[in-house]
Amino acid sequence: MKQYKRRSAMRVLWLCIAVLALCAAVALGVLLPVPKSQDVQIPGARGTVPATVQMPSKLARAGDVPLAVLCHGFTGNRGGDTHFEGLAADLAEQGIATVRMDFPGCGQSSEPYTAYTLANMAADVDAAINYMQEEYGVDGKIALVGHSMGGRLASLFPQISAREGYDQVSALVLWSPANGTGLQGLEFLNIDDFSQVEAVAAEALANGQAGTKWGVEISDVFVQEMQDSDPNAALREAGLPVLLTYAGHETLFTETTVSETIATVQSLPDSTVVLDPFTEGDHNYFGPAGKEDPATPVMDADLRAATISFLTETLK
């Protein structure tokens, strides 16, 4: 009987120790800050790709570590119009790693803007995924978050990756994607006069490149890729979970592009369209008065919250 009591007491003691250890781990997980982001140079097919990595804290890495690749828009950079840094930090708190890069000709990229093509951007995304797997041990599901042209790239990436043998992704987040069919995807070059868009495209195809009102020259390869691609058809083909947002004051895309993309995502299983928080926002999710508008940080918070909710559900 005494031996039985001693065994019972030992079981209780070990149970108490286990509970205390669990409580300590939870407390440390709350107190341990997310590591600082790191600027890196990712080896790519055409040279190194400037990027920023944000990892979650070690205690948040229970099991596989998911990855979100953040893809900026036309003439943008890895800051994602001020939205990507905060999003990366918030995702890290949820145990999700991120990498965001400067696409060809953008930010700190050393390439000319004529290297800005869908094929090159997709190759850089794949290089970033491989880098995160090899250098940081990221081994979970993968998602792409794309804004504007980055959203078009994200929409097409499952199709491109199947063709090129790249890593497959599990989910897509599209912030105001440039998903017009074919050349309509370049409507932002001159939303008021599509004939001017057609003229720029014709010049690029004839001469190898053409200037735009955004101060950059686009290549004939890029124009041809745009003509040949249908992002919404690619979304339907892939059938992945998608989160789609558009702002209420979208001045770069036609109502046709917006409505067709919304209808496409609404037809997909496990997908969500979020519009209401952004009715007062512009294409970059700023308020009417720009970055300093009081509505801007509110929309930024709503954009991050919707993205985090979707990714924590689909990647874990």
Side-chain angles (χ1 to χ4, degrees), residues 16-17 19-20 22 33 36 42 52 78 107 112-113 118 141 146 158 162 185 235 258 260 264 267 273 276-277 306 308:
C16 291
I17 292 172
V19 170
L20 288 172
L22 177 62
K36 291 183 178 179
I42 296 175
T52 300
R78 72 184 106 161
Y113 204 82
L118 294 170
K141 294 180 179 179
L235 288 175
V258 174
E260 288 180 352
T264 294
S267 73
V273 177
D276 289 346
I308 293 161

Side-chain angles (χ1 to χ4, degrees), residues 283-306:
H283 178 70
N284 294 322
Y285 298 87
F286 299 154
K291 293 181 182 180
E292 305 305 320
D293 192 291
T296 296
V298 176
M299 280 185 284
D300 175 68
D302 287 336
L303 191 61
R304 286 186 282 120

Side-chain angles (χ1 to χ4, degrees), residues 4 31 43 206 213 284 295:
Y4 174 77
L31 296 174
K213 73 173 187 177
N284 294 322

Side-chain angles (χ1 to χ4, degrees), residues 3-183:
Q3 186 178 11
Y4 174 77
K5 289 182 178 179
R6 284 198 297 271
R7 289 177 179 173
S8 296
M10 288 299 294
R11 289 194 186 98
V12 171
L13 177 61
W14 281 113
L15 179 61
C16 291
I17 292 172
V19 170
L20 288 172
L22 177 62
C23 291
V26 171
L28 283 172
V30 172
L31 296 174
L32 190 66
V34 168
K36 291 183 178 179
S37 61
Q38 295 181 308
D39 290 337
V40 298
Q41 294 289 327
I42 296 175
R46 307 174 317 281
T48 57
V49 181
T52 300
V53 171
Q54 176 69 71
M55 289 294 293
S57 66
K58 289 184 178 179
L59 286 177
R61 304 179 203 173
D64 296 340
V65 179
L67 172 67
V69 183
L70 312 185
C71 306
H72 67 77
F74 191 81
T75 71
N77 58 54
R78 72 184 106 161
D81 290 294
T82 73
H83 299 299
F84 282 176
E85 182 177 357
L87 175 64
D90 288 349
L91 287 173
E93 290 180 354
Q94 301 299 320
I96 300 174
T98 61
V99 58
R100 55 193 192 270
M101 72 211 77
D102 291 330
F103 283 129
C106 300
Q108 295 182 341
S109 168
S110 61
E111 295 185 272
Y113 204 82
T114 48
Y116 185 92
T117 68
L118 294 170
N120 284 348
M121 288 187 282
D124 289 352
V125 168
D126 184 63
I129 292 171
N130 292 336
Y131 180 83
M132 294 298 293
Q133 292 170 336
E134 294 170 5
E135 297 297 325
Y136 288 87
V138 172
D139 53 1
K141 294 180 179 179
I142 303 165
L144 302 188
V145 179
H147 175 229
S148 196
M149 188 58 69
R152 186 186 187 92
L153 171 67
S155 301
L156 293 167
F157 189 80
Q159 191 178 78
I160 296 172
S161 61
R163 184 174 67 241
E164 300 295 334
Y166 296 158
D167 281 284
Q168 291 290 333
V169 298
S170 298
L172 304 171
V173 177
L174 312 177
W175 297 349
S176 301
N179 274 18
T181 302
L183 201 59

